[in-house]
Amino acid sequence: MGQFQDVQAFVSEAKRLSQMGELQDLLADGLGALGFKQFAFIHHVPGISPQENVVRLSNYPDSWIDVIRKRRYFSDDPIHAACERSAVAFTWSKLDEIITLSRRQVEIMTAWGDHGFGDSFTVPIHIPGEAVGSCSMGVRAGQALPEDCLPAAQYMSSFAFEAARRIARLNHGAGEATAPRARDLSQRQFDCLVLVARGKSDWDIAQILGISHQTVHQHVEEAKRRYGVASRTQLVVHALYASQLAFADIVDPGQR
Amino acid sequence: MVWIVTSENRHQFVDAIAMMHRHRKAIFVDGLKWSVPVVEGQYEIDQFDTDDAVYLIALDPSTQNHLGSVRLLPSVGPHLLGQKFGYLCDGPVPIAEDVWEITRLCTAPGVKDARTIRRRLATALMEFGLLFGVRQYTSVAHMAWLSQVLAAGWDCEPLGLPQRVDGDDIGAIAINVSPTSLQMFRQSLGLRRPLLHLPHQTQAA
């Protein structure tokens, strides 16, 4: 069979599965056939133990999991940091084009290599209202990534991650438990929220929208009340997490 | 409220259509930097915005402002996948009376609850499909958005491996129309009845 037929078979199988263990085996076979030796499909939520509606699938050896746990690598993971900055898939050899690695992150990458792991390919997973996730798959130290297989790996990753989300939901019987609900805001309250998120003061916002300083204050206070939060920063964070506000609303592409 | 806009009833939606083309320019040309034609410096209109195109347009019920929209083209006529991106399909481009293409799905820039509007459009697409006998939609998807599309509940199948085109990884996908998908989208919105509105001049597409 050609590579695309393998992907088609993988996708229809992933849609059918209802057990995380079966998906783990499917991934090991599917990615193994493309030439990858290890993989990790995870939501970037701290902790090692299973949690509700959180995807955590990998075939890393226990020895590496122990290293991550003992040295508390999770919170400084450079791949997670890069996923925050990138919507598109990347290979780890080009990591420094996305982020500037801190000394701690260089240490993590060195430990990765010392453990016998090599170059990898990561597909970031950005779903509104959820923690960022990633699908990473790699080869052993000294081996070359199977470049020809990256498009197939991209599709296997996206469809398998979705299957993992579905199975996690089935297992825990809940809907979108990780996503806080967007609150009903008026258009004006929303306009003020966007400008708050862009770092504008009430006075600035009043000038931009051509309304009074007092009215701006009332809109922002009402938006905070509806989100049940006390500060402007909390308001922005909650609205982002609920996907009422998108990063694109806040960050001008020219500023990046 | 989502309206079915066809060549027959377009005259009832002149303002909404103009607004849709302005918003498309803001999103696809100014925002995403696509190199697609711009008409009179403010409207994104290409060679597929013809009488064959059907638009599903979400309008604000009080202001009649364009909140979001999607363009549908019959696969038996000229369409993006058929004319320009056929090489993204591993086999032949799916062409049949019951296959339509989705392009230019967008929400108005800066609109609140963009996610809800996208869900309404998704629901309307399923309603349209079931109503007019569309079995499958095809589309060209950006890989950066694929996980979001899958998470929204679309039942997708790849039509070929993704490829890098002008710096973006894109792939052709098929989306199956089914009552299950419709039910799931409606549940996510808490809806019990159809969202789609057919202005009385609308003929079956």
Side-chain angles (χ1 to χ4, degrees):
Chain A
M1 279 204 296
Q3 212 179 75
F4 179 63
Q5 284 69 34
D6 290 343
V7 170
Q8 279 182 307
F10 180 96
V11 166
S12 63
E13 187 68 2
K15 284 185 189 176
R16 199 185 57 78
L17 297 179
S18 59
Q19 301 292 328
M20 213 56 103
E22 296 170 335
L23 185 60
Q24 166 111 13
D25 294 343
L26 180 71
L27 270 172
D29 289 350
L31 294 175
L34 297 182
F36 296 103
K37 303 297 184 218
Q38 67 274 335
F39 65 86
F41 282 40
I42 52 172
H43 267 128
H44 302 167
V45 180
I48 303 281
S49 56
Q51 291 177 42
E52 273 190 31
N53 287 354
V54 170
V55 171
R56 191 165 287 136
L57 265 178
S58 95
N59 66 352
Y60 288 163
D62 290 343
S63 55
W64 175 246
I65 304 279
D66 279 346
V67 170
I68 297 176
R69 185 188 290 148
K70 288 203 184 105
R71 299 188 199 162
R72 300 182 179 280
Y73 279 167
F74 193 90
S75 49
D76 301 305
D77 193 308
I79 304 307
H80 298 186
C83 287
E84 296 285 341
R85 301 286 298 271
S86 179
V88 296
F90 56 89
T91 55
W92 294 11
S93 53
K94 291 180 179 162
L95 198 55
D96 56 4
E97 291 174 13
I98 305 172
I99 54 166
T100 307
L101 274 79
S102 66
R103 193 186 295 175
R104 167 89 167 159
Q105 287 170 332
V106 172
E107 177 199 321
I108 295 175
M109 295 309 287
T110 307
W112 170 263
D114 291 346
H115 220 83
F117 300 135
D119 199 2
S120 301
F121 175 63
T122 292
V123 178
I125 304 285
H126 292 272
I127 297 167
E130 280 183 21
V132 173
S134 60
C135 307
S136 296
M137 58 227 80
V139 292
R140 299 276 189 248
Q143 292 180 327
L145 269 185
E147 295 282 345
D148 296 350
C149 300
L150 300 186
Q154 158 93 52
Y155 264 151
M156 287 188 184
S157 298
S158 309
F159 281 90
F161 197 91
E162 181 52 28
R165 285 179 76 252
R166 178 178 53 77
I167 295 169
R169 242 186 358 250
L170 276 179
N171 291 347
H172 291 282
E176 293 176 47
T178 51
R181 208 169 46 83
R183 305 307 157 112
D184 191 24
L185 300 183
S186 71
Q187 183 67 48
R188 263 302 187 232
Q189 287 160 4
F190 179 76
D191 295 340
C192 291
L193 167 62
V194 170
L195 292 167
V196 167
R198 289 184 188 169
K200 305 294 180 197
S201 68
D202 284 357
W203 188 87
D204 295 332
I205 298 171
Q207 304 306 308
I208 294 165
L209 296 179
I211 56 181
S212 82
H213 181 270
Q214 183 56 30
T215 308
V216 171
H217 182 72
Q218 282 165 4
H219 283 318
V220 175
E221 287 304 305
E222 182 55 24
K224 277 161 57 182
R225 196 189 65 74
R226 292 189 186 183
Y227 266 97
V229 297
S231 77
R232 294 159 77 95
T233 307
Q234 283 174 306
L235 172 64
V236 171
V237 171
H238 278 74
L240 274 170
Y241 200 23
S243 311
Q244 184 155 36
L245 201 59
F247 285 103
D249 290 328
I250 307 172
V251 187
D252 186 340
Q255 292 177 351
R256 272 184 296 216
Chain B
M1 222 173 274
V2 180
W3 297 88
I4 302 179
V5 178
T6 68
S7 57
E8 282 106 40
N9 64 17
R10 221 156 281 189
H11 59 279
Q12 298 177 8
F13 296 94
V14 174
D15 294 344
I17 292 171
M19 209 166 171
M20 171 182 79
H21 287 297
R22 278 203 302 276
H23 288 163
R24 275 169 41 174
K25 193 243 174 202
I27 290 162
F28 300 115
V29 180
D30 302 340
L32 296 171
K33 313 285 177 210
W34 289 5
S35 47
V36 289
V38 172
V39 175
E40 293 171 24
Q42 53 174 333
Y43 305 108
E44 186 266 300
I45 298 175
D46 72 3
Q47 71 268 43
F48 300 108
D49 288 300
T50 62
D51 279 354
D52 285 343
V54 172
Y55 304 92
L56 304 184
I57 305 185
L59 293 180
D60 184 315
S62 49
T63 61
Q64 300 301 307
N65 281 340
H66 169 259
L67 298 176
S69 54
V70 58
R71 179 176 70 185
L72 296 174
L73 292 164
S75 67
V76 292
H79 65 296
L80 212 60
L81 194 56
Q83 314 296 117
K84 293 184 114 178
F85 291 107
Y87 60 86
L88 292 174
C89 293
D90 189 66
V93 174
I95 291 174
E97 289 289 343
D98 58 1
V99 175
W100 284 57
E101 181 189 57
I102 296 175
T103 46
R104 302 293 197 267
L105 180 80
C106 67
T107 53
V111 73
K112 64 172 185 131
D113 292 340
R115 191 182 176 196
T116 306
I117 293 163
R118 274 196 298 274
R119 279 189 177 156
R120 282 199 196 133
L121 291 170
T123 310
L125 280 163
M126 286 299 139
E127 288 179 0
F128 179 88
L130 292 166
L131 209 54
F132 295 113
V134 178
R135 177 178 53 84
Q136 203 171 52
Y137 290 114
T138 54
S139 195
V140 175
H142 278 66
M143 290 305 108
W145 302 335
L146 182 62
S147 55
Q148 203 169 322
V149 169
L150 296 175
W154 298 94
D155 178 18
C156 300
E157 286 171 25
L159 292 171
L161 290 172
Q163 297 183 33
R164 176 145 301 185
V165 179
D166 297 335
D168 287 325
D169 290 328
I170 59 174
I173 56 168
I175 297 161
N176 296 311
V177 175
S178 76
T180 318
S181 292
L182 174 60
Q183 202 182 5
M184 196 161 51
F185 290 144
R186 277 193 183 157
Q187 267 170 8
S188 74
L189 288 166
L191 281 176
R192 293 192 168 197
R193 53 178 65 95
L195 244 198
L196 209 50
H197 280 253
L198 302 115
H200 51 270
Q201 284 95 333
T202 306
Q203 305 288 308

